[in-house]
Amino acid sequence: MTDQRSEQIAANLGKVRARVASACAHAGRAPDTVTLIVVTKYFSADDVRRLAALGITDVGENRHQEAAAKVAECAGLGLRWHFIGGLQSNKAAAVARYSDVVESVDRPKIVTALQRGALDRTEPLEVLVQVSLDRPDHDGRSGVRPEELLELAALVDQQSMLRLRGLMAVAPLGEPPAPAFARLAQFHDGLVGAFPQATALSAGMSADLEEAIAVGATHVRIGSAVLGPRQEFV
Ligand SMILES: *Cc1c(COP(=O)(O)O)cnc(C)c1O
């Protein structure tokens, strides 16, 4: 699909890729060590097709109904679908059937529900555990508390149809991203120490991808910087 919207997305993608390359250069990393996930929540299946035509291989969604519909509409594009949103245990089995990676695993009940759904798959489901970077006295964005991270990761690791691949986090509100991502990097070191295959570190969004790449993010999740502002209504 090539039209005016495609050209706009292509221009935005160029800017984001340049930011990633520059952040990698600053960190002494090769640019191909960072995978760009374009977050397509609130945007149409047509935009997903435009992204695929522009060479994007990984997309992210955060709401079950919207994700399920878009995955079905965009079948055959060879995309990897990352589920990055809060999970309800009664939806998790369904999410496990159509996602390639679930990045937002934050409690034991979700692990067992994902395993149940993943039993219908031919290939194991890739899983990242989401850790909270909130200070203990702050009201949480979601994620497992750091002191419970290894226990939750072990539960993922025990499931026959789940593959523990790494860690995900969102920068907390009310604090600059750099120190929070520095804590994240320590949590990731601890995780990899216990589970050497958990090498993925998904961190960094439109506003803070540089800070995430500086501490070793292997995946950045970029929405608005590529697709523009979202029409969110809650
Ligand atoms: C929406 C979302 C993003 C993308 O955010 P932008 O600021 O638009 O880049 C990344 N990660 C998660 C978990 C999200 O929900």
Side-chain angles (χ1 to χ4, degrees):
M1 195 171 296
T2 47
D3 52 14
Q4 216 174 354
R5 173 74 173 147
S6 290
E7 284 165 25
Q8 179 197 359
I9 293 172
N12 291 344
L13 265 179
K15 289 181 198 150
V16 167
R17 287 190 169 122
R19 285 175 62 191
V20 169
S22 157
C24 285
H26 276 289
R29 301 176 54 189
D32 64 1
T33 60
V34 177
T35 300
L36 173 59
I37 302 169
V38 178
V39 178
T40 50
K41 64 190 187 196
Y42 295 93
F43 290 96
S44 66
D46 278 344
D47 276 353
V48 177
R49 290 188 196 96
R50 292 181 176 99
L51 288 164
L54 290 166
I56 290 298
T57 55
D58 291 77
V59 291
E61 286 285 334
N62 74 335
R63 296 181 304 174
H64 163 56
Q65 286 197 340
E66 180 184 348
K70 240 178 265 180
V71 171
E73 261 196 281
C74 298
L77 294 177
L79 292 167
R80 277 169 64 77
W81 293 86
H82 298 248
F83 194 89
I84 61 172
L87 278 160
Q88 291 168 266
S89 54
N90 62 341
K91 308 273 172 62
V95 170
R97 294 187 187 103
Y98 63 75
S99 300
D100 297 291
V101 188
V102 175
E103 300 200 358
S104 41
V105 174
D106 63 355
R107 56 194 192 278
K109 207 173 168 186
I110 297 301
V111 175
T112 45
L114 286 173
Q115 162 70 7
R116 215 177 324 113
L119 288 171
D120 295 341
R121 302 170 58 95
T122 51
E123 296 291 325
L125 175 67
E126 296 194 13
V127 165
L128 308 192
V129 172
Q130 180 175 357
V131 68
S132 171
L133 298 179
D134 291 297
R135 294 263 174 66
D137 57 334
H138 260 212
D139 234 10
R141 282 187 163 188
S142 37
V144 66
R145 290 177 23 223
E147 54 273 30
E148 294 165 356
L149 169 60
L150 291 181
E151 200 180 328
L152 186 64
L155 183 64
V156 173
D157 193 48
Q158 286 159 16
Q159 310 302 314
S160 62
M161 284 303 282
L162 304 183
R163 288 288 176 271
L164 178 67
R165 292 286 294 116
L167 192 60
M168 185 272 250
V170 176
L173 303 169
E175 182 190 353
F181 285 156
R183 297 199 294 281
L184 174 64
Q186 288 187 336
F187 303 148
H188 189 229
D189 284 348
L191 181 69
V192 172
F195 304 96
Q197 76 279 21
T199 51
L201 181 58
S202 176
M205 314 192 344
S206 293
D208 53 24
L209 70 87
E210 285 83 1
E211 288 87 348
I213 288 172
V215 302
T218 61
H219 294 72
V220 293
R221 309 176 308 269
I222 310 299
S224 49
V226 172
L227 293 170
R230 289 181 285 274
Q231 307 294 317
E232 301 190 31
F233 26 85
V234 221

